[in-house]
Amino acid sequence: MKIDFSLDQLEEVAQKIIAEKPNKVILFHGEMGVGKTTLIKQLCKTLGVIGATSSPTFSLVNEYQTIDNQIIYHFDFYRLNHEVEALDMGVDDYLYSGNWCFIEWAEKIPNLIPDEHSVITIALLSDGKRSLELS
């Protein structure tokens, strides 16, 4: 799936992503500031998270619960220096839990990513819109 969108279309974009039935482990690629966290927040809302969501930049992982008791994990590995730091936090338990795992900066843990995963790549277009590809 490939689409171009503006930020006011985020709800529709999140619905389309979920409708594609991606793997529950999703890697988010894109430059800093392109909107990865903003999209993840909307995906959480679309999946039924009621409470506040935020970037886990300092905690590395945030856990959210949906209205139907699904668990969603949101990772931000930007600050990671070595893969072993992710192992020390028990990342394997999260990634193989069967729950949704949204991962920013997954390139920091390339050897730990499950084979079964999807990738969302976001790029900023010259007109301020974003280009998104789900693979």
Side-chain angles (χ1 to χ4, degrees):
M1 175 179 97
K2 186 171 183 175
I3 54 174
D4 293 345
F5 66 97
S6 60
L7 291 179
D8 62 346
Q9 297 173 297
L10 268 178
E11 185 175 345
E12 178 185 337
V13 170
Q15 290 171 354
K16 286 181 180 182
I17 291 169
I18 298 303
E20 289 288 317
K21 301 198 182 312
N23 291 300
K24 284 195 166 184
V25 174
I26 304 177
L27 316 182
F28 290 78
H29 295 295
E31 297 294 321
M32 188 173 294
V34 77
K36 298 180 297 291
T37 300
T38 302
L39 176 60
I40 290 170
K41 288 178 178 185
Q42 184 60 56
L43 285 167
C44 288
K45 185 175 179 182
T46 299
L47 289 167
V49 173
I50 295 173
T53 56
S54 62
S55 176
T57 301
F58 297 103
S59 60
L60 299 181
V61 62
N62 285 346
E63 179 180 324
Y64 310 116
Q65 188 168 359
T66 67
I67 55 173
D68 60 351
N69 293 317
Q70 291 185 73
I71 301 296
I72 300 172
Y73 298 113
H74 176 191
F75 299 89
D76 184 335
F77 290 125
Y78 181 75
R79 294 184 328 111
L80 233 55
N81 294 312
H82 304 284
E83 279 184 326
V84 73
E85 295 173 70
L87 286 171
D88 289 346
M89 67 173 276
V91 73
D92 285 350
D93 293 335
Y94 294 105
L95 298 181
Y96 293 95
S97 67
N99 295 308
W100 288 100
C101 293
F102 299 146
I103 307 172
E104 297 183 63
W105 304 103
E107 53 271 26
K108 298 273 192 149
I109 60 163
N111 299 306
L112 305 178
I113 301 299
D115 291 338
E116 296 294 319
H117 67 272
S118 295
V119 176
I120 290 178
T121 304
I122 306 172
L124 183 62
L125 301 174
S126 60
D127 61 1
K129 290 185 176 183
R130 271 65 173 175
S131 174
L132 179 147
E133 185 171 354
L134 169 65
S135 57

